[in-house]
Amino acid sequence: MDFINNTLAVFPALIGAVPVVLQLALGAMALALVLGLLVALARISNFKILRAISTVYVEVLRGTPLLVQLVYIFFVLPSVGVEIEPIPAGILGLGLNYAAYLSEVFRSAILSVEHGQTEAALSLGYTPNKTLWKVVIPQSFVVSMGPIGNYFIAMIKDTALASVIAVTEILKTANILNSQTFQTTAIYTAAALLYLIISLPLSRIVIVLERKARAIG
Amino acid sequence: MAENTVISIQDVHKTYVLSSKPSFWARITGRTQAEKRLEVLKGVDLDIHRGETVVILGSSGSGKSTLLRCINKLETIEGGRIYVNGHLIGYEEKDGQLVAEKPSLTAKKRTDIGFVFQHFNLFLNKTALGNVMAPLRDVKGLSAADARKKALPNLEMVGLGDRAENFPSRLSGGQKQRVAIARALAMEPSVMLFDEPTSALDPELVGEVLSVIKKIAQQGTTMAIVTHEMQFAREIADRIVIMDQGVIVEQGHPEAIFTNPQHPKTRALLKRSGIVPPQDK
C-alpha cells in the first residue's frame, strides 16, 4: 500500500514536466515533418546532387545514436560559437533525427501512389508540379498517417534523452526529485507510468487514423 | 490542314525500348546487351474532324491505345507531328526537329483534350463530386462554389447526381468510369479520347458506360474511341479505323467496314469477333 501511495504522491511533482515533453515532441515533430518531406523529395528528384546530399543526410542521421546527436548539438556546437538553449537544442536534435526516418516513410508513400493517379492528373492539365502537390502528396499522406503516428509516439518516449542536455523533462525532474528524497522506486515508477499515460491514448488515435486511411484507399 | 480538323496525326512513329538497363550478368562480364526495341507505331496518319466520332479497332498490340495516349502526350514520340486544334502537342519544332516543350505548355494544351482511362484513375482520396471539382479548381482556378456549380450538372449527365458524396471505394466499376467521364467533360475539352473505357468492367456494367458515351456523341462532341466492343463501334462510329502492327490498314464508314471489309487483317479481326462479312459466307 505504501508503494502505491508513495508513487501517487510523486505525480504532482512530475506532471509539471509534461508541458516540456509536449513542447519538445510537437516542436520536433513539426520540424521532422517539413524537413522529412523535403528530404524525401530530394531523394526522388532528378538532380543527382540533391539525391546525393539527401542520401548522405539520411545515412548519417540514422547511422549514429540520437543520444550522441543531442550531445553533439548541445556540447560540441558551442565550441564553434553556436550556443543553443536546452529546449531548442532538444527540438533541433529530435527533429533532425526523426526527419531522416520520416523521409523514408514519405519516400515510399510517394512511390506507392499508383501511376494511374499521375496520368489522370496530367491528362486533366495539371502541370508536373501541381500533380505532385495536389494529387500525389495528399494521397501519400493518407498512406503515411499510421507510420507518422507511430514515430510520434516513439518520439514522446525519446524526449527522455533530452534529460542529458539539461532539459527538465520528466526523467530529469525525476532525477532531481530522487537526489532530494531517495524514493527511487516510487519516483521512477511514477515517471514510467506518466509516459504510458501519454502514449496509450495516442496509439489508440493512430489505430483509428489507420482504419480511416484504409477506408479511403 | 482542313479548317474543321480537330486532331491531325501526321506520320507518327513510336518505339518502346524494352530493356535499356543491362542485366546484372551483362554488367559484370562487360558484355553489353543489345537493346530490345519494339516499334509500336510505324508512321500513322489520321485526321479527326469536328463533331466526328472515330472508333479505332485492332487486335491487342496493334498500337491503338498507344496512338491515343500519344495524342495528349502520355507517350513520347520519335517522329511525326500531332496537332490538336492547330497546336503541336508536346513538342516544339526547331529546324525541322522535334524538341520537347516545357511541361507547363503541354499541360495547358491537355486541358483541351479529355482522356478516359481503362482503369478509371479516379482520385482515391476524393468523393465523386470532389473528383469532378478537383481539376476545375486546381487547373482552371475556379472557386469552390463555381467548381461545384459546374461539376454537379456533369455528374447528373452521367446519372450519378445522387452519388456525389461517395468515395471511389464505394462505387461500382461502371459508376467509377462514369465519374471519370464527367470529370473529363467538366473541363469542356474540344475532343474526348476514350482508351478501352469498358475493358476493365464486369459484363453487366458495360452497358451503362456505353450509353453515356453514346449520349455524349449525340451532343456533337468530337471523339476518338479505342474499344473491343464491335457492336457498339458499329452503332456509334462515323468512321472506323482498323490498326494492325503499328499502321492503319483500313478505314471507312462502319457499314462499309462491317459488310465489305477490304483488308485481310480487317476480315480476320471481324471473324474473331464472330462477325462474318457477307462476301466470306
Side-chain angles (χ1 to χ4, degrees):
Chain A
M1 249 359 241
D2 262 5
F3 165 67
I4 294 172
N5 283 335
N6 288 344
T7 305
L8 289 175
V10 178
F11 265 107
L14 290 181
I15 278 177
V18 170
V20 177
V21 168
L22 293 180
Q23 196 184 344
L24 277 175
L26 289 172
M29 199 62 187
L31 174 63
L33 284 171
V34 174
L35 189 61
L37 182 57
L38 292 178
V39 172
L41 292 176
R43 291 204 72 179
I44 56 175
S45 91
N46 278 333
F47 299 103
K48 223 175 188 174
I49 182 96
L50 280 181
R51 282 206 305 271
I53 293 171
S54 54
T55 306
V56 169
Y57 177 86
V58 171
E59 292 307 330
V60 169
L61 273 282
R62 288 197 309 182
T64 54
L66 173 55
L67 185 56
V68 174
Q69 292 162 18
L70 286 169
V71 168
Y72 209 89
I73 288 171
F74 193 68
F75 294 109
V76 180
L77 288 189
S79 69
V80 293
V82 183
E83 282 193 44
I84 307 175
E85 292 291 307
I87 289 181
I91 289 175
L92 187 64
L94 284 163
L96 291 178
N97 181 270
Y98 273 73
Y101 288 96
L102 286 185
S103 75
E104 286 298 282
V105 172
F106 286 135
R107 187 173 73 115
S108 64
I110 287 171
L111 295 179
S112 78
V113 174
E114 254 187 273
H115 189 54
Q117 300 284 314
T118 303
E119 287 200 334
L122 292 175
S123 79
L124 289 160
Y126 285 69
T127 60
N129 264 329
K130 266 194 184 156
T131 303
L132 178 68
W133 289 100
K134 298 277 188 181
V135 175
V136 177
I137 288 180
Q139 290 197 44
S140 73
F141 269 120
V142 176
V143 181
S144 37
M145 206 68 93
I148 291 173
N150 286 327
Y151 274 116
F152 185 64
I153 295 167
M155 186 185 275
I156 299 251
K157 292 176 287 173
D158 274 349
T159 57
L161 294 172
S163 60
V164 302
I165 58 167
V167 178
T168 41
E169 42 63 72
I170 295 173
L171 184 58
K172 176 90 170 173
T173 311
N175 287 342
I176 295 169
L177 222 53
N178 186 44
S179 66
Q180 290 163 350
T181 65
F182 301 107
Q183 293 195 333
T184 309
T185 314
I187 289 169
Y188 290 111
T189 306
L193 283 174
L194 203 48
Y195 282 111
L196 202 59
I197 290 168
I198 301 172
S199 55
L200 273 185
L202 284 173
S203 39
R204 294 306 304 172
I205 293 173
V206 170
I207 290 170
V208 172
L209 283 178
E210 281 187 319
R211 206 174 290 148
K212 280 220 165 118
R214 257 203 302 279
I216 290 172
Chain B
M1 216 181 303
E3 204 167 273
N4 65 344
T5 303
V6 180
I7 299 177
S8 179
I9 298 169
Q10 302 170 4
D11 192 30
V12 164
H13 290 260
K14 161 83 189 166
T15 304
Y16 284 118
V17 179
L18 294 179
S19 58
S20 57
K21 257 191 192 160
S23 71
F24 170 75
W25 194 245
R27 265 181 291 141
I28 61 170
T29 54
R31 234 177 297 159
T32 49
Q33 245 175 1
E35 276 182 349
K36 278 200 195 107
R37 290 171 167 275
L38 183 68
E39 204 180 354
V40 279
L41 297 178
K42 305 170 183 169
V44 175
D45 293 277
L46 179 66
D47 279 4
I48 297 174
H49 306 109
R50 197 166 305 286
E52 193 180 23
T53 300
V54 171
V55 174
I56 306 171
L57 300 176
S59 50
S60 26
S62 61
K64 53 194 193 307
S65 279
T66 305
L67 180 65
L68 209 64
R69 289 167 58 83
C70 286
I71 296 175
N72 73 348
K73 220 205 161 211
L74 287 175
E75 303 285 347
T76 56
I77 57 175
E78 287 89 51
R81 308 281 184 271
I82 296 174
Y83 296 91
V84 175
N85 283 321
H87 299 291
L88 184 59
I89 297 296
Y91 298 90
E92 287 173 283
E93 206 166 327
K94 275 193 184 144
D95 307 324
Q97 296 284 318
L98 289 183
V99 186
E101 71 180 354
K102 266 206 240 147
S104 57
L105 284 176
T106 307
K108 200 159 209 170
K109 291 171 189 170
R110 280 182 180 134
T111 59
D112 201 27
I113 309 168
F115 200 99
V116 175
F117 296 87
Q118 182 179 352
H119 294 286
F120 336 124
N121 294 348
L122 289 185
F123 301 138
L124 301 176
N125 58 341
K126 292 189 190 318
T127 61
L129 180 63
N131 264 278
V132 184
M133 283 172 64
L136 294 172
R137 300 207 63 196
D138 297 338
V139 178
K140 292 223 158 155
L142 297 188
S143 69
D146 287 348
R148 197 185 180 80
K149 230 181 276 167
K150 201 157 205 185
L152 274 174
N154 279 290
L155 267 185
E156 276 155 19
M157 207 280 286
V158 300
L160 290 172
D162 56 333
R163 293 300 188 127
E165 299 307 327
N166 283 57
F167 279 95
S169 54
R170 305 297 299 272
L171 296 172
S172 74
Q175 290 169 337
K176 282 185 215 178
Q177 192 60 297
R178 280 145 68 197
V179 174
I181 292 172
R183 179 175 68 177
L185 274 180
M187 296 293 283
E188 296 174 344
S190 62
V191 55
M192 286 285 289
L193 308 175
F194 295 84
D195 184 13
E196 305 200 24
T198 60
S199 295
L201 297 177
D202 292 335
E204 73 268 23
L205 302 176
V206 169
E208 61 187 72
V209 172
L210 294 186
S211 64
V212 165
I213 298 175
K214 256 185 216 165
K215 199 162 147 189
I216 301 165
Q218 280 156 7
Q219 291 167 359
T221 312
T222 311
M223 309 207 284
I225 306 171
V226 167
T227 184
H228 291 287
E229 298 286 333
M230 292 292 185
Q231 199 47 46
F232 169 70
R234 190 172 185 168
E235 285 167 29
I236 197 177
D238 297 313
R239 179 157 46 118
I240 286 184
V241 171
I242 310 284
M243 284 189 73
D244 188 72
Q245 297 190 4
V247 290
I248 291 174
V249 294
E250 186 172 357
Q251 54 178 309
H253 190 272
E255 286 317 306
I257 297 281
F258 276 86
T259 57
N260 187 22
Q262 300 301 313
H263 199 280
K265 291 287 183 187
T266 310
R267 280 205 285 276
L269 183 71
L270 290 175
K271 226 173 230 167
R272 273 202 304 281
S273 316
I275 301 162
V276 183
Q279 78 234 47
D280 288 7
K281 272 180 188 160

